[in-house]
Amino acid sequence: MFRTALRNVLAHKARLLMTVLAVMLGVAFVSGTLVFTNTFSEAQKNSSQKGFTHVDVAVQPHTADRDNGAPGGAPLLTQRLLDKAAEVPGAAYATGSVDGQAFLAGKDGELVGQGFSRAGSNYFPGPDGKDARYPLTSGRAPQRAGEIAVDAKTADRAGFKVGDTVRMSVSGPVLPQKITGIFTTDSGSVTAGGSLTLFDTATAQKLFTKPGRFTEIDVKAAPGTSQTALKAGIDKILPRDAEAVTGQKLADDETRMIEENSSASKTILLIFAGISLFVGIFIIANTFTMLVAQRTKELALMRAVGASRRQVTRSVLIEAFVVGAVAAVAGLLAGIGIGAGMRSAIGADMPDGPLVITPGTVVTALAVGIVVTMLAAWLPGRRAAKIPPVAAMNSVHAVATTKSLVVRNTIGAVVAAAGAGLSLVATDESGLGLGAGLLVIGVFILTPLLAKPLIEAAGPLLRLFGMSGKLAGQNAVRNPRRTAATASALMIGLTLITGLTVIAGSMQKAIDKMATDALKADYVVVMANTYPLSPDVAKKLERQPDITAVSALRESPARIGGEHESLAGVDGKSVDKLVKLDFTSGSFAGLSGDKAVVDADTAKNRGWKLGSSFTVTYEDGKKGKLTVGGIYKGNEMLKGIMLDNATLTPHMTEVNDKQVMVKTASGTSDSAKKSIQKALGDNPAIQVQDKDDISNEIAKAINMLLNVLYGLLAMAVIVAVLGVVNTLAMSVFERQQEIGMLRAIGLDRSGIKRMVRLESLVISLFGGILGIGLGVFFGWAAGQQIAEKIATYELVMPWGRMGVFLLLAAAVGVLAALWPARRAARMNMLNAIKAD
C-alpha cells in the first residue's frame, strides 16, 4: 500500500502542485512569523541586557499608589539620597537620572524620530568624567543650558553633526540648542525609531523635575560586591517613598515585558496564518476528493483483490503525508526567508542580532503542514473506502445519497442558527467570536444547498453568452459539494475583510459625529504623541487679539469616597463657548469655585443629584468639599467630574495641560491656523487641529490598521485563488471526454475557454456574495456591542468598498480560469474522446 500511495503521488505531481502551494504558503506564514518574532525578541532582550550592565541596584520612587490613580504625586529622589547611596559600603559610584520627553525638529522642520519615544535625559559624568551609559563617538558632553548631545541613530537619520543648532521643545516653547556631542546607546526605544536627547544634569532637572531632584538613582557595585548585598545596604538608607531594585530584576522585568509584547504580535500574526491554513483545508479536501473519485475503479479493484477499507484509507493518508511533508519543508524554508526579509526591512530600527531559528519553529512548521494535510485528506479517503467494490466498478463517481444531503443540510441549519443566535445575544468579544465561527461553519455546511438556487439565479445573464454560458451554469452546479468547498475558501477571506471594513467605517462616522456634537471650539491644540502641554501655551494664546475664548483641559488624580477618580479641569468662564454638552440638570453656570459638573453615569453610580455635596482628596493630599452644579450626558471625548481650573490647579503637583481649546473671532481658516502656529513659535511638536484634522487623523490611523489587516488577509485570498485554479484544472481533466464531444459537435476553442471562464466567474462570485453578506452581518452584530459604549455609533454600509470586494471576487474567477481554460481549449479532440 505504501508503494501504491507513493506511485500515485508521483503520477499526479501536476494535480497536487496547487495543494502543495496552498499548504506551503500557510506554513511559510507560520514559520516566518515565528522566525521574525523570535529574532526580534532575542535581539531586544540582548539589547536590554546591555542597557543594565552599568546598573547593579536602581533606586526608584515608590509609585504604586500613583500608578493606580491615587493622589499625592510621584515622589522625586534628592541629591542627599544620591550622595548617601554613593557612600554605601560596596558601592563604586552612583548615577542620578533625570528623564522626560524632548522633541527635536529636523532640518526640514518636521519632528525627528518615530513612534511615541522621543526621550530626554541627562549626561551624568562618573569618577572618570564620562557617563558609561552613553559613550561619545564625537564631540563632548553638554555642560550648560543651550547644549545637547543626540544619539548616533537620530543624528544619522536627521543628518545632524556636532556644531549644528537645532530646534527643540519639551512641552511648549521652542528652544534653540547646539549639538556638542553624538553618542551611542543600547536603548531599545532608540533602536525602534525613537530619539534620545541628553542635557547637562542641571538643565535636565530644570526641564523635567526640580533642581536637585532625580527620577532614578543607579548604583554600580564595587568589585567583589554582589547585587543582593549592595541592595541590602541601600535598603537601610531609603526613605519611605523610595525602593531599591537589583539590576538583574530590572533586566528580568524588561525581558518579561519584551516577551509579552512579542507574544501579542506573534498571536495576531499566527491567527492570520491559521486563517490561511483553514482556507487551505478546503483546497486539500477538494483535491483529494477529486483524485479519489478519478481512481474509484482502481480502489475498487484493490478492494476486490483483498485490500481492506483501513488499507485504502491508509493509502490516501500516506499520499497526504508525502504531500504535507514536501509542502512543510518548502514552507519552512520560505518562512526562514520571510523572517530574514522582515528583519532586513526593519533594518536600522531593529537591534543587531542573528537570525533565530529554534527547534520549536522547525517542529511546528513540519507538524502544521503534515497534520493539516492529513486531516483534510482523511474524510475523502474514508469516503472512498466505504464504497462497495462492485458499485465502484460500475460508476466513476459516487453520487451523494439523498439521506446524506438531508443530514448535512439539517446539521448546517442547526449550526448556522446557533451561530446567528449567539452573535445576536453575545455581550462580549469572545461570545461574538464563537457565534461568528459557528455561523461560518454552518453556512459552509449549507453551501451545497445554497449553490444551486443562487447560481441558477444567474442563468439569464449566463444565457447571454450562448451555449458556453448555459454549459458553465450547469457545470457549476453539477457537483454542489465541490463548488461549495471552492467558493467557501474565498468566502472566509471576504467575510473577514468586509466585517472589518463595516466596523471601521461605522467607527469613523461615530468619531466624526462625536467631535461635531461635543466641540464648539474652532481649534484644539495638543502636543505630539499626546504628551502634556506646558501651561504657557494657554497663556500665550489668551494674549492673541483674534482669539475670543481659550480653555486648557487638565487632568488630576483624586480620591472620592475611598475610590480613585480622575478630575478634569477647564476654564469655567469660557468653557461654554468651547464645549457643547447636553445637560439633564444644571448648566456650565454651576462650574465655579467649589462647584463641579459631572456626567450622568458618574452621578448615577454615586447617587448624586443637582446640589449634592461630596468630599474629595486632591493630588496634593489636601481635602475639599465640592457641590454638583450640573449633570450632563458624557461621551468618549468629555466625561467624568469637571471643575474650574482655578480650583483644581493649586492642588496639582505638576501643572500641565492635556489640550487647549481655542475659539477665534474669524472661525476656522488657514490664516487663523497659521496665526496660532506663529504665536506658538511654529513649534513642530505642537499640533493645531480643527474638527476635520481630528477626524482625518483618526481616519488615517483606522485606514492604516485596515491596510495592515488587508495585507495579512491577502494570504488567505491568494490561497483561495489557488483553490479555484486547482478545482478547475482537475475538473477539466475529469471532463476530457465531454470537452472532446463538445468540440466534435461544433463548439470551438474560444467557446470552450469561455465556458471554463464563466464557470470560474460564477463560483467566485458565489463565494464573494456569501462572504460579503456574512461580513455585513458580523459588522452589524459587533456594532450592537460597540453602540452600548459609544452613543454616536451607527451602522455605515461601505457600498463602494463592498463593490470593490465583489469586483475582486470576479477578478479572482477570471484570473484563476486562465490556465485551466487554455488547457481545455488546447486538448486534442480525438484523444479527449478516447480518454478514460
Side-chain angles (χ1 to χ4, degrees):
M1 297 303 294
F2 178 80
R3 287 197 301 270
T4 302
L6 192 59
R7 177 184 60 79
N8 286 326
V9 171
L10 296 174
H12 301 116
K13 294 188 292 293
R15 298 183 218 175
L16 290 169
L17 177 61
M18 294 300 171
T19 299
V20 171
L21 284 175
V23 178
M24 186 195 77
L25 286 174
V27 172
F29 204 157
V30 171
S31 54
T33 295
L34 295 176
V35 169
F36 172 71
T37 52
N38 289 339
T39 298
F40 188 80
S41 177
E42 193 65 27
Q44 285 277 48
K45 284 188 284 187
N46 291 338
S47 175
S48 172
Q49 293 287 343
K50 290 179 184 177
F52 293 105
T53 55
H54 304 290
V55 182
D56 287 313
V57 175
V59 179
Q60 301 173 331
H62 198 290
T63 59
D65 290 338
R66 170 73 173 186
D67 292 340
N68 290 328
L76 297 171
L77 308 177
T78 64
Q79 179 68 46
R80 182 169 178 269
L81 180 58
L82 172 65
D83 295 337
K84 290 173 67 176
E87 296 171 357
V88 169
Y93 60 87
T95 301
S97 294
V98 185
D99 299 322
Q101 288 88 39
F103 300 85
L104 290 176
K107 295 179 179 180
D108 58 356
E110 299 297 322
L111 285 180
V112 174
Q114 301 174 3
F116 283 81
S117 182
R118 294 181 174 100
S121 191
N122 65 312
Y123 189 92
F124 194 95
D128 59 355
K130 300 178 180 179
D131 191 332
R133 301 171 300 174
Y134 310 117
L136 289 165
T137 59
S138 62
R140 61 170 176 81
Q143 297 174 350
R144 60 186 64 87
E147 295 182 347
I148 61 171
V150 298
D151 68 89
K153 288 186 179 293
T154 297
D156 183 57
R157 294 183 189 116
F160 293 153
K161 61 182 184 297
V162 173
D164 286 348
T165 298
V166 298
R167 300 166 69 226
M168 187 272 297
S169 174
V170 170
S171 61
V174 173
L175 304 172
Q177 304 286 311
K178 182 179 180 181
I179 298 176
T180 62
I182 295 174
F183 62 93
T184 59
T185 176
D186 293 314
S187 170
S189 60
V190 171
T191 304
S195 63
L196 178 59
T197 305
L198 297 183
F199 308 84
D200 66 281
T201 299
T203 301
Q205 288 174 334
K206 182 180 178 181
L207 293 172
F208 304 136
T209 58
K210 296 177 181 178
R213 298 299 177 95
F214 302 92
T215 54
E216 182 172 303
I217 295 172
D218 299 329
V219 186
K220 181 66 177 176
T225 303
S226 67
Q227 291 187 355
T228 305
L230 181 60
K231 179 181 179 299
I234 292 176
D235 282 337
K236 297 176 182 178
I237 65 165
L238 293 181
R240 295 180 60 183
D241 58 2
E243 60 182 346
V245 184
T246 64
Q248 186 60 52
K249 186 178 186 306
L250 289 174
D252 292 343
D253 290 344
E254 185 84 2
T255 297
R256 191 179 308 110
M257 184 179 70
I258 290 171
E259 288 177 346
E260 289 175 356
N261 293 338
S262 176
S263 177
S265 302
K266 185 187 296 185
T267 300
I268 292 171
L269 290 172
L270 288 178
I271 287 173
F272 286 96
I275 292 170
S276 297
L277 284 168
F278 183 64
V279 171
I281 286 175
F282 296 106
I283 300 176
I284 301 165
N286 244 5
T287 301
F288 277 92
T289 298
M290 297 169 77
L291 285 175
V292 167
Q294 292 168 14
R295 288 168 26 217
T296 302
K297 287 186 178 181
E298 175 189 329
L299 295 174
L301 183 60
M302 291 173 61
R303 290 286 311 282
V305 298
S308 65
R309 288 184 177 182
R310 185 172 297 177
Q311 286 178 311
V312 170
T313 303
R314 193 181 302 147
S315 71
V316 175
L317 290 179
I318 291 172
E319 290 182 51
F321 175 84
V322 174
V323 171
V326 171
V329 172
L332 174 61
L333 296 175
I336 293 172
I338 291 171
M342 292 174 71
R343 184 182 67 167
S344 298
I346 293 178
D349 292 340
M350 180 173 174
D352 295 331
L355 196 67
V356 178
I357 306 168
T358 65
T361 298
V362 176
V363 171
T364 300
L366 295 176
V368 165
I370 293 170
V371 170
V372 165
T373 308
M374 293 183 69
L375 281 176
W378 174 77
L379 188 60
R382 183 173 177 272
R383 190 182 297 136
K386 291 176 68 175
I387 301 174
V390 175
M393 288 183 181
N394 292 329
S395 177
V396 175
H397 304 294
V399 180
T401 64
T402 304
K403 179 181 178 182
S404 68
L405 291 175
V406 170
V407 171
R408 175 176 179 141
N409 293 337
T410 302
I411 294 173
V414 171
V415 174
L422 185 56
S423 299
L424 292 174
V425 301
T427 56
D428 55 25
E429 294 83 357
S430 59
L432 180 61
L434 178 60
L438 288 174
L439 181 55
V440 169
I441 293 171
V443 170
F444 165 66
I445 297 172
L446 286 172
T447 308
L449 180 66
L450 300 173
K452 190 171 183 179
L454 287 178
I455 291 177
E456 285 181 347
L461 291 175
L462 291 174
R463 280 194 286 272
L464 296 176
F465 296 92
M467 183 55 66
S468 296
K470 183 177 180 181
L471 291 172
Q474 292 174 351
N475 290 334
V477 295
R478 177 184 295 184
N479 191 328
R481 289 187 175 184
R482 184 185 302 168
T483 298
T486 305
S488 294
L490 186 59
M491 175 190 78
I492 292 169
L494 288 180
T495 295
L496 294 171
I497 290 173
T498 305
L500 292 171
T501 304
V502 170
I503 294 171
S506 301
M507 280 295 297
Q508 179 62 44
K509 181 72 173 180
I511 293 166
D512 289 347
K513 192 171 187 297
M514 191 185 299
T516 303
D517 290 349
L519 283 178
K520 293 164 68 176
D522 294 320
Y523 295 100
V524 174
V525 180
V526 295
M527 200 73 177
N529 295 344
T530 69
Y531 285 124
L533 273 169
S534 166
D536 291 339
V537 171
K539 293 177 182 177
K540 282 189 177 182
L541 293 177
E542 287 172 349
R543 295 194 291 267
Q544 300 307 306
D546 189 47
I547 293 177
T548 58
V550 175
S551 175
L553 176 62
R554 295 170 182 165
E555 290 186 347
S556 177
R559 185 180 292 115
I560 299 174
E563 297 179 3
H564 299 308
E565 190 68 71
S566 180
L567 302 178
V570 294
D571 187 325
K573 297 178 182 179
S574 59
V575 67
D576 62 328
K577 302 174 185 176
L578 301 164
V579 173
K580 181 167 55 179
L581 292 178
D582 184 6
F583 279 86
T584 58
S585 59
S587 67
F588 273 128
L591 184 63
S592 63
D594 60 355
K595 292 183 179 180
V597 296
V598 301
D599 68 283
D601 290 338
T602 300
K604 181 180 179 181
N605 293 337
R606 293 189 176 273
W608 295 339
K609 56 184 179 179
L610 192 67
S612 296
S613 296
F614 57 93
T615 301
V616 57
T617 302
Y618 292 103
E619 184 179 0
D620 61 359
K622 295 181 180 180
K623 293 186 177 181
K625 181 164 283 190
L626 296 174
T627 302
V628 178
I631 298 175
Y632 64 92
K633 293 180 181 178
N635 55 54
E636 291 302 307
M637 297 189 72
L638 289 169
K639 61 182 176 181
I641 302 171
M642 202 180 302
L643 59 157
D644 193 354
N645 276 330
T647 303
L648 180 64
T649 302
H651 298 289
M652 296 177 67
T653 57
E654 183 179 356
V655 181
N656 50 54
D657 300 331
K658 183 178 179 181
Q659 63 183 38
V660 176
M661 296 172 284
V662 180
K663 188 81 171 174
T664 65
S666 57
T668 56
S669 65
D670 289 340
S671 59
K673 187 173 186 177
K674 288 178 180 177
S675 175
I676 294 173
Q677 291 171 334
K678 185 177 180 181
L680 298 176
D682 290 322
N683 191 334
I686 295 179
Q687 299 175 344
V688 180
Q689 301 175 321
D690 59 20
K691 293 176 184 178
D692 289 339
D693 293 330
I694 295 171
S695 177
N696 291 337
E697 185 175 349
I698 296 171
K700 184 178 178 181
I702 291 175
N703 287 331
M704 187 180 297
L705 177 61
L706 268 182
N707 290 336
V708 171
L709 296 175
Y710 287 167
L712 293 172
L713 286 170
M715 184 69 74
V717 176
I718 291 172
V719 173
V721 172
L722 294 177
V724 179
V725 174
N726 206 27
T727 300
L728 287 174
M730 299 188 75
S731 178
V732 166
F733 179 83
E734 277 185 354
R735 304 202 305 262
Q736 289 182 82
Q737 286 185 332
E738 177 184 320
I739 292 171
M741 290 297 296
L742 289 171
R743 289 290 314 283
I745 61 176
L747 193 63
D748 58 12
R749 288 187 174 183
S750 61
I752 295 293
K753 285 183 180 180
R754 193 179 306 117
M755 176 186 73
V756 177
R757 288 170 183 167
L758 289 173
E759 179 183 353
S760 175
L761 181 63
V762 167
I763 292 174
S764 296
L765 286 175
F766 171 56
I769 290 170
L770 286 181
I772 292 172
L774 284 173
V776 169
F777 174 79
F778 293 142
W780 172 79
Q784 300 305 299
Q785 294 185 16
I786 298 173
E788 295 178 2
K789 302 174 183 177
I790 302 178
T792 55
Y793 185 90
E794 60 183 46
L795 182 68
V796 175
M797 295 294 287
W799 296 110
R801 291 204 179 189
M802 288 194 296
V804 171
F805 298 156
L806 200 59
L807 289 175
L808 173 65
V812 166
V814 172
L815 292 174
L818 291 177
W819 177 60
R822 184 169 178 269
R823 183 183 177 194
R826 295 184 66 183
M827 282 183 184
N828 182 282
M829 189 189 312
L830 295 178
N831 290 339
I833 293 173
K834 291 188 296 181
D836 187 4

